[in-house]
Amino acid sequence: MIDVRRMQVLRTVVTSGSVTAAATALGYTPSAISQQIAALEKETGIALLERVGRGVRPTEAGLLLTEYADAIGRQVAEAEAALADLRTGRTGRLAVRYFATAGASLVAPAVARLRAEHPGVRLELKLIDPDDPLPAVREGRADLALVVRPRGADPDGVRLLHLLDDTYVAVLPAAHPLAGRPGLALADLADEPWVGSEWPGPCLDAQLEACAEAGFRPRFVVESEDYATAQGFVAAGLGVGLIPRLGLGSTHPDVVVRRFTGPEPRRSLHAAVRATAPPQPALRTFVRALREAAGATP
């Protein structure tokens, strides 16, 4: 196998015109340069230089190998530049998984910040409702995912960065007897029929755990798994429901929204990243923008 470093020594000898000049340029002794050329000729099995007066000139094989050394040198320089761009966040790819209600208030500002600070980074956004994105983060198929998880220990292979606690509000038919109250206790809804608004998973778990702490289990009569549709069912008088503030959006004209005066049901939103992920400027920027957006969310 041909030693690439010796090829670069040959290239310097050919471009400088002598072993002595090459030694000066590379910081070696002329003897060391001659030894490198001799070893390269042994590897290739052919003469690469011929002496002319006080200098040397390449043989046809020497010229051929010098051309390849030039090409390799350019490719190495290009590789170093590309790595520098990637290391500093000028290029690269950032794969983000998110759920719908976090899109407008959290993801959109973070995307805008990424575009401004790292315009050369290719962003891959994917909506994940109702799938669990943590396997994609753990396996390196996604760099970051927005998830709802209880606050506590991190899942295996994943680090959770807390963003905010999104509180739930009560949504009632406008004509409901409790609609006139400015605030409610969760237990006030214990005997009511309920309209479901969550997929089975951590968001629904947050609702059920809050109800259990209030001493009851909600009786779901309709399952919508969509906040806007849930409001429609509530407006039709089919039951009451809980909707997180981030998912409230526009309010149906035939419902009222009431906050809870006691402990508020809430879901914890996190940015999930791989525990062993190497430093990535674009990822740091995206997380910082998410945290700023979360802090500005009422």
Side-chain angles (χ1 to χ4, degrees), residues 2 29 31 125 153 165 212 228 238 243 248 269 279 285:
I2 301 175
T29 64
S31 176
L125 283 176
D165 289 329
L238 299 179
I243 293 179
L248 191 59
L269 275 63
T285 296

Side-chain angles (χ1 to χ4, degrees), residues 138-194:
R138 188 179 298 113
E139 297 162 12
R141 292 181 283 112
D143 299 296
L144 178 147
L146 292 181
V147 296
V148 173
R149 301 279 298 191
R151 299 185 72 166
D154 292 341
D156 288 343
V158 174
R159 186 160 54 100
L160 297 180
L161 310 174
H162 181 257
L163 297 176
L164 63 87
D165 289 329
D166 188 19
T167 57
Y168 282 88
V169 293
V171 181
L172 312 173
H176 194 281
L178 296 175
R181 297 187 185 180
L184 300 172
L186 188 55
D188 292 336
L189 306 179
D191 297 325
E192 298 289 334
W194 280 53

Side-chain angles (χ1 to χ4, degrees), residues 250-273:
S250 59
T251 304
H252 192 287
D254 295 324
V255 306
V256 295
V257 175
R258 294 291 180 264
R259 63 180 181 84
F260 290 101
T261 55
E264 295 177 300
R266 63 189 62 210
R267 58 180 190 170
S268 291
L269 275 63
H270 305 265
V273 297

Side-chain angles (χ1 to χ4, degrees), residues 88-91 94 107-123 281-282 285-286 288-289 292:
T88 57
R90 290 191 292 269
T91 61
L94 189 69
V107 177
V111 171
R113 174 75 64 80
L114 185 73
R115 292 283 188 241
E117 296 189 15
H118 303 277
V121 172
R122 179 168 57 90
L123 180 63
T285 296
F286 202 87
R288 185 171 66 250
E292 290 178 5

